[in-house]
Amino acid sequence: MAPLRVTVIGSGNWGSAISIIIGNNTKRSNRFHSLVNIWVFEEIVNGRKLSDIINQDHENVKYLPGHQLPHNVVAVPGLADAVSGADILVFVVPHQFIGTICDQLAGHVKFGAFGISLIKGVNQGPSGLKLISDIIREKLGIPLGVLMGANIASEAAEEKFCETTIGCKNPQHGEIFKELMQTPNFRIRVVEDCNTVEICGALKNIVAVGAGFCDGLDFGDNTKAAVIRLGLMEMVAFARLFCTGTVSTDTFLESCGVADLITTCYGGRNRRVAEAFARSGKSIEELERDLLNGQKLQGPQTSAEVYKILQLKDVMEKFPLFVAVYRICYEGQPVQEFISCLQNHPEHY
């Protein structure tokens, strides 16, 4: 069989970090073509095109500075050109852009290609929840797995040990994804419960916003631990209510579940911006612009999508933490009132 060609769609910090892992692995395996395309949303950085910087200096100086990309990772600014001939598509873009990107890719994806999504977010659909993986499957007609876990991009790029979870119903594709991305310090477990894996990756960002509020209000570690526990309860309840198929409690004990939740509530950008929100009084939009260097914040926007889904089913009272994050971020509810969603949280689901 001809070696499989890989394209990474997205060149933010996580897209760049996973490209380092993939680029190094493809050089060492006969299963994959060594050349890895990475689609870059073109922008000017210090007077140069970002794609030129990556291809000439082998560093994404804007989104992952200080980390060398392998020379076999090639930046391509055109979407259609980037995916031309690719057998495996790795999606790593902010979730709010995936529909537009898939529309641009329609008709350009190789027959027989398959993909994996590293995108953390959800959309509202006509009957409630719409997973990002479902949008990609429907628009491009390809099989898709998902990868979610406690994977802060800079730490993965530095080869600090971490785990991750791949959700994939196709065992052969799961084996290929694992070979493509696993290293001694990036350990992968493959499970079939892909919907739960994906929903964990989206919802933990909402909980991390709540954790950031706690830090900004100096509520202390006990309160933050309560946010994490109650947030996990809401994640489980949401998955059972809205995900199709069997939702395994064991999946929440994988890296995509409790590990990713803890990491994000202590080290992620959603927590950091939410802390600044509570301390500064600035809007989420202002802080995203001031603090994230062009990166997009997922937690508040995911809370807005989740709020619409909860409204549709009239179950908002069962998810006070998710609802409080939305109302504080978008409806002007004072952040000091966040504590009430913890004090009045239901004891049972």
Side-chain angles (χ1 to χ4, degrees):
M1 292 180 61
L4 299 169
R5 290 181 172 270
V6 182
T7 293
V8 179
I9 300 171
S11 57
N13 66 338
W14 188 211
S16 298
I18 203 68
S19 295
I20 294 174
I21 293 171
I22 291 173
N24 285 329
N25 278 358
T26 58
K27 288 189 296 186
R28 294 191 285 259
S29 171
N30 293 327
R31 175 173 272 187
F32 307 103
H33 195 286
S34 62
L35 181 67
V36 176
N37 283 350
I38 178 171
W39 173 67
V40 174
F41 179 78
E42 193 69 280
E43 51 190 310
I44 303 300
V45 180
N46 300 325
R48 299 169 65 192
K49 293 180 179 178
L50 182 57
S51 60
D52 288 342
I53 296 172
I54 292 173
N55 289 334
Q56 294 165 13
D57 302 343
H58 308 289
E59 180 184 358
N60 188 335
V61 295
K62 181 164 186 180
Y63 297 110
L64 196 67
H67 298 282
Q68 284 287 298
L69 275 67
H71 288 210
N72 60 317
V73 174
V74 176
V76 182
L79 257 177
D81 293 335
V83 304
S84 178
D87 301 285
I88 302 173
L89 305 179
V90 182
F91 294 88
V92 205
V93 295
H95 83 272
Q96 56 265 42
F97 302 136
I98 192 60
T100 302
I101 286 172
C102 286
D103 288 340
Q104 294 177 41
L105 286 175
H108 298 286
V109 175
K110 179 180 178 180
F111 178 78
F114 55 100
I116 187 165
S117 170
L118 281 61
I119 300 170
K120 297 180 176 180
V122 295
N123 275 21
Q124 180 195 11
S127 58
L129 176 67
K130 186 81 166 180
L131 294 172
I132 300 302
S133 60
D134 288 335
I135 295 173
I136 299 171
R137 289 187 193 100
E138 291 171 11
K139 286 183 175 286
L140 299 182
I142 62 173
L144 203 78
V146 297
L147 181 149
M148 307 284 157
N151 311 138
I152 291 176
S154 59
E155 294 184 11
E158 291 166 7
E159 299 187 45
K160 294 180 178 178
F161 181 85
C162 61
E163 300 175 309
T164 200
T165 310
I166 287 177
C168 188
K169 293 180 180 177
N170 183 313
Q172 182 183 4
H173 289 174
E175 176 192 323
I176 291 171
F177 293 142
K178 187 169 183 176
E179 183 177 340
L180 178 65
M181 289 181 275
Q182 180 162 269
T183 74
N185 286 319
F186 190 69
R187 303 298 295 174
I188 294 171
R189 268 180 53 86
V190 181
V191 301
E192 291 187 10
D193 187 10
C194 50
N195 287 352
T196 307
V197 171
E198 184 171 1
I199 205 66
C200 282
L203 297 181
K204 57 93 183 183
N205 283 328
I206 305 177
V207 184
V209 173
F213 292 159
C214 283
D215 291 340
L217 295 167
D218 295 318
F219 281 165
D221 288 337
N222 291 341
T223 308
K224 191 169 177 178
V227 168
I228 293 171
R229 188 188 76 83
L230 295 172
L232 181 59
M233 286 178 61
E234 292 194 17
M235 288 169 59
V236 174
F238 189 95
R240 287 175 173 166
L241 190 57
F242 291 103
C243 284
T244 58
T246 302
V247 172
S248 172
T249 304
D250 290 346
T251 304
F252 292 92
L253 300 178
E254 298 289 346
S255 181
C256 64
V258 65
D260 195 9
L261 178 62
I262 293 169
T263 297
T264 310
C265 286
Y266 278 91
R269 73 183 75 154
N270 290 281
R271 187 221 61 81
R272 179 163 59 97
V273 172
E275 178 182 3
F277 177 89
R279 294 191 188 279
S280 69
K282 292 183 178 181
S283 70
I284 291 293
E285 292 76 14
E286 288 176 294
L287 291 166
E288 184 181 58
R289 185 180 63 246
D290 294 346
L291 299 178
L292 296 186
N293 191 33
Q295 297 177 71
K296 293 299 179 182
L297 202 62
Q298 299 301 309
Q301 194 147 15
T302 302
S303 78
E305 296 291 343
V306 164
Y307 184 77
K308 288 184 277 187
I309 294 167
L310 298 177
Q311 272 187 315
L312 196 65
K313 294 287 189 181
D314 194 25
V315 290
M316 291 182 294
E317 74 284 351
K318 295 184 178 181
F319 299 89
L321 193 153
F322 290 172
V323 169
V325 168
Y326 165 75
R327 288 180 171 161
I328 291 168
C329 290
Y330 293 108
E331 292 190 346
Q333 179 174 315
V335 68
Q336 292 78 11
E337 294 181 10
F338 178 69
I339 193 71
S340 65
C341 79
L342 311 178
Q343 294 168 332
N344 302 313
H345 207 280
E347 294 183 11
H348 304 286
Y349 280 90

